[in-house]
Amino acid sequence: MGRLAFGAETVTLDDRLLAHLEVVMVTKLRRREPFILTWTVDPSLGSGRVSRWVGVSTSWDVRYHSRSTGPLNPAWIESLMATANSPGGLRLVPEPEPEEDERVAGL
């Protein structure tokens, strides 16, 4: 489990999710497109959800637990980007199954 931090606020996420999320966040910010990032709070911490405004001046960092997260899933990046481009903002969605041609190619 890695972490995504905004100053003193930290959320713990699976390294694989974090790698895909980082791609989407960097892409949005490189385009100078601010967005809302929303995640749910673990029930052990009181449940609910947190929404954070992320813009080009937002200070954030990513720390991975492991060195490698494996190959990125383009379909997951597309799903995350679709939420980031929606009025509701970037939400953590589950990883979709790889497309048939990606499974055959071993991606």
Side-chain angles (χ1 to χ4, degrees):
M1 297 295 270
R3 70 170 178 79
L4 173 62
F6 300 95
E9 182 178 23
T10 301
V11 61
T12 301
L13 301 168
D14 177 76
D15 278 0
R16 183 155 174 77
L17 168 60
L18 201 51
H20 288 76
L21 189 61
E22 182 180 16
V23 169
V24 172
M25 292 175 67
V26 168
T27 300
K28 292 287 287 178
L29 295 173
R30 191 173 330 139
R31 295 176 183 166
R32 299 206 172 277
E33 297 174 354
F35 57 94
I36 292 285
L37 170 62
T38 299
W39 63 89
T40 57
V41 177
D42 188 271
S44 67
L45 301 173
S47 296
R49 64 187 165 111
V50 175
S51 292
R52 175 75 182 201
W53 180 254
V54 182
V56 293
S57 62
T58 303
S59 177
W60 59 280
D61 67 272
V62 176
R63 175 160 294 184
Y64 294 95
H65 177 71
S66 62
R67 291 182 183 218
S68 174
T69 58
L72 295 177
N73 180 343
W76 199 4
I77 293 171
E78 283 183 37
S79 294
L80 290 164
M81 188 61 80
T83 68
N85 291 331
S86 74
L90 178 54
R91 295 189 181 269
L92 308 182
V93 297
E95 181 173 10
E97 290 295 320
E99 297 294 325
E100 182 63 32
D101 56 336
E102 291 174 359
R103 280 193 296 259
V104 171
L107 298 177

